[in-house]
Amino acid sequence: MNEYRVKKIDHIKEIEVQVPGSKSITNRALLLAALSAHKCTLHGVLFSDDSRAFLDSLEKLGFEVQTDEETKDVVIQGLGGKIPNNHASINVRSAGTAARFLTVMLALAGGEYELQASPQMCKRPMKPLLDILKQAGVAFSFVGDEDHFPFVMKSQSVSMKEVQVDTGISSQFASALLMSGVLLPDGVTVLLSGDRAEGSYIKMTLAMMEQFGIKPVKLKNGYRIPHTESFGVEQYQVEPDVSGACYFYAMAPLLQTDVKVKNVHIDSLQGDIKFLQVLENMGCVLTDEADGVKMSGSGLTEYPGMDVSMKDFSDQTMTMAALSPFAQGTTLIRNIGHIRFQETDRIHAVLTELTRMGIECEEAPECDGIRIMPGTVEECSVETYEDHRMAMAFSLVGLKTGKIAIRNPECCRKTFENYFELLDGLY
């Protein structure tokens, strides 16, 4: 499908959906299970392009992996930090988490590996992480651009007692070092700097490490990761993807309806749960019920423009941008400069596509953000830039107006394969 034309929804009483498992939790669980000394069954796993790239890489590295896409289960036999095939070639495709997590795991475990990636991933930043690994004694040979995929990596004796990680470009660098730090004979001290040193993804990583039996020690400006040989769990439940759930929760104020996403709860490990508070501030009513959070917008006739820092849940920047043209005032989204370095330059993409649909918007450099004014949407096709979040978020504008088509909707396969099927089910 080259283009998906979004139909307008004039009225819908309530929406109830089930979303796939969390990409962030799935990929952390896959890594921790592989590093562990146990056979671990993961339940509720996300099956998408990203997670399949991770699973395929683990299989090529020699791990015993059993998958059941129908039941959403994966069984991984951990080997206590050993890589069965320590001379392997893997392809992380477009999966940023797999790219960062597996690079560090293989560097610290030792061996010689060829790491390939998609053209999109080959453009994404890796230099800060690779510089840390080079200083620790890892050798790299780059096939294309220096400090980018693809490359060959050789690692024998790694020396890494203390590392400084700037979270400004990607908190995945820090998460990768925190999780794989258990492989080092003396452990490692990971010192964190940057504006996301205590961000939601770091907190998720640390919480999951503890769930798997690793005990990070909190320091003033980082964490001490002890060498841990025998850790792991036999069963692990992956939470539903809150990022994916937020597209549906955003329909509550947008369409003045009530939305429930099954099995999402307010105590989620995922940072995007904070977006639900933004929706409450717009006037929606949140209820955490036994079978999932319900967001009620059926009592609304309008909602205000917002002034909000989205540093800790920036994946919802595009969702917020899609709601903004219909607000009763200007929306200011702050502290999102790092999203320039993700699947695409998301600030450029958001402003370009809003402008294409006739909405006045601009960068707000004083707060590292963007400013969006309310307006009347003109008919257009939205370019998605191979970015799944652009496709899903801007479909919301189409639900409200019937004037939007989404180009290349298949890019949603990265995290949410049946998103547009669920949209079809709303009508």
Side-chain angles (χ1 to χ4, degrees):
M1 187 191 307
N2 294 325
E3 195 169 85
Y4 178 95
R5 180 154 292 279
V6 188
K7 302 173 192 171
K8 181 180 180 180
I9 292 183
D10 289 310
H11 177 72
I12 186 167
K13 185 177 180 182
E14 59 184 6
I15 295 169
E16 186 172 299
V17 295
Q18 186 159 350
V19 300
S22 161
K23 179 187 79 167
S24 300
I25 293 178
T26 290
N27 286 339
R28 283 164 173 77
L30 291 173
L31 184 79
L32 290 166
L35 289 173
S36 78
H38 291 261
K39 176 179 280 190
C40 178
T41 300
L42 307 176
H43 304 286
V45 169
L46 168 70
F47 285 95
S48 68
D49 280 355
D50 273 19
S51 59
R52 289 191 186 95
F54 208 126
L55 286 163
D56 182 59
S57 294
L58 290 177
E59 289 178 346
K60 283 185 167 56
L61 291 168
F63 286 95
E64 183 184 329
V65 179
Q66 301 169 27
T67 61
D68 189 329
E69 294 203 18
E70 188 172 335
T71 63
K72 310 301 182 190
D73 290 343
V74 170
V75 181
I76 297 178
Q77 177 63 63
L79 296 172
K82 293 182 174 60
I83 309 299
N85 181 6
N86 61 8
H87 286 72
S89 175
I90 63 172
N91 191 330
V92 298
R93 305 180 201 170
S94 294
T97 45
R100 281 69 182 260
F101 291 0
L102 290 172
T103 296
V104 174
M105 179 183 82
L106 297 177
L108 301 193
E112 181 175 341
Y113 306 96
E114 179 185 26
L115 280 79
Q116 301 174 346
S118 71
Q120 182 193 48
M121 186 63 221
C122 290
K123 297 175 184 176
R124 295 181 66 178
M126 287 290 291
K127 180 175 169 56
L129 182 61
L130 300 186
D131 283 347
I132 289 171
L133 297 177
K134 289 175 189 175
Q135 291 167 13
V138 182
F140 291 90
S141 175
F142 296 98
V143 178
D145 292 341
E146 188 84 4
D147 295 319
H148 288 77
F149 283 96
F151 54 77
V152 175
M153 176 174 67
K154 295 181 183 179
S155 171
Q156 287 184 332
S157 57
V158 174
S159 177
M160 183 188 292
K161 294 182 179 179
E162 181 178 291
V163 293
Q164 180 91 34
V165 186
D166 184 350
T167 61
I169 293 178
S170 175
S171 63
Q172 291 174 357
F173 299 162
S175 289
L177 290 160
L178 288 167
M179 288 187 287
S180 290
V182 296
L183 295 175
L184 296 170
D186 298 318
V188 66
T189 297
V190 181
L191 303 177
L192 303 177
S193 61
D195 60 358
R196 290 183 291 161
E198 298 184 5
S200 57
Y201 286 109
I202 301 294
K203 290 176 181 176
M204 175 194 290
T205 297
L206 294 164
M208 289 186 64
M209 289 170 67
E210 294 209 1
Q211 289 172 343
F212 272 81
I214 304 167
K215 304 297 182 185
V217 179
K218 178 76 170 77
L219 306 175
K220 183 178 179 181
N221 57 343
Y223 295 87
R224 175 70 191 162
I225 308 302
H227 173 66
T228 312
E229 289 187 358
S230 184
F231 68 89
V233 293
E234 294 182 357
Q235 310 281 332
Y236 189 84
Q237 180 67 49
V238 175
E239 294 180 4
D241 182 32
V242 172
S243 299
C246 284
Y247 305 117
F248 294 93
Y249 284 130
M251 296 175 194
L254 184 71
L255 304 177
Q256 288 93 54
T257 189
D258 297 340
V259 179
K260 179 181 287 185
V261 184
K262 294 178 183 177
N263 302 316
V264 170
H265 293 286
I266 204 68
D267 62 354
S268 169
L269 292 175
Q270 300 166 68
D272 279 11
I273 200 74
K274 294 181 179 180
F275 184 69
L276 274 58
Q277 184 179 343
V278 177
L279 298 177
E280 283 188 284
N281 292 340
M282 288 180 172
C284 294
V285 177
L286 183 154
T287 311
D288 195 349
E289 300 181 351
D291 58 344
V293 167
K294 180 179 180 180
M295 186 67 65
S296 298
S298 53
L300 296 178
T301 56
E302 60 184 40
Y303 54 86
M306 303 299 294
D307 183 336
V308 57
S309 170
M310 300 188 75
K311 177 178 67 175
D312 248 4
F313 52 109
S314 60
D315 276 351
Q316 295 310 313
T317 298
M318 288 71 71
T319 316
M320 193 73 222
L323 294 177
S324 300
F326 313 105
Q328 295 303 300
T330 298
T331 294
L332 181 63
I333 305 174
R334 301 174 179 269
N335 303 318
I336 54 169
H338 59 279
I339 72 172
R340 294 185 187 278
F341 307 104
Q342 297 180 318
E343 279 79 348
T344 187
D345 179 343
R346 285 176 166 169
I347 289 179
H348 169 78
V350 165
L351 296 179
T352 299
E353 299 313 307
L354 286 173
T355 301
R356 192 196 302 275
M357 62 182 70
I359 299 301
E360 186 181 352
C361 55
E362 63 187 12
E363 287 197 42
E366 72 279 4
C367 63
D368 211 9
I370 57 177
R371 185 178 291 105
I372 305 168
M373 278 59 83
T376 301
V377 171
E378 299 172 2
E379 189 148 348
C380 78
S381 293
V382 171
E383 182 59 61
T384 50
Y385 306 86
E386 286 290 333
D387 188 335
H388 55 135
R389 303 217 178 278
M390 287 292 294
M392 292 185 280
F394 279 100
S395 69
L396 297 172
V397 180
L399 293 178
K400 181 70 173 176
T401 66
K403 296 181 178 180
I404 297 299
I406 302 296
R407 296 176 184 169
N408 186 25
E410 293 295 322
C411 68
C412 291
R413 292 181 60 83
K414 183 176 175 66
T415 55
F416 200 153
E417 292 184 335
N418 66 330
Y419 175 76
F420 286 101
E421 292 175 25
L422 291 182
L423 281 198
D424 286 340
L426 298 180
Y427 300 106

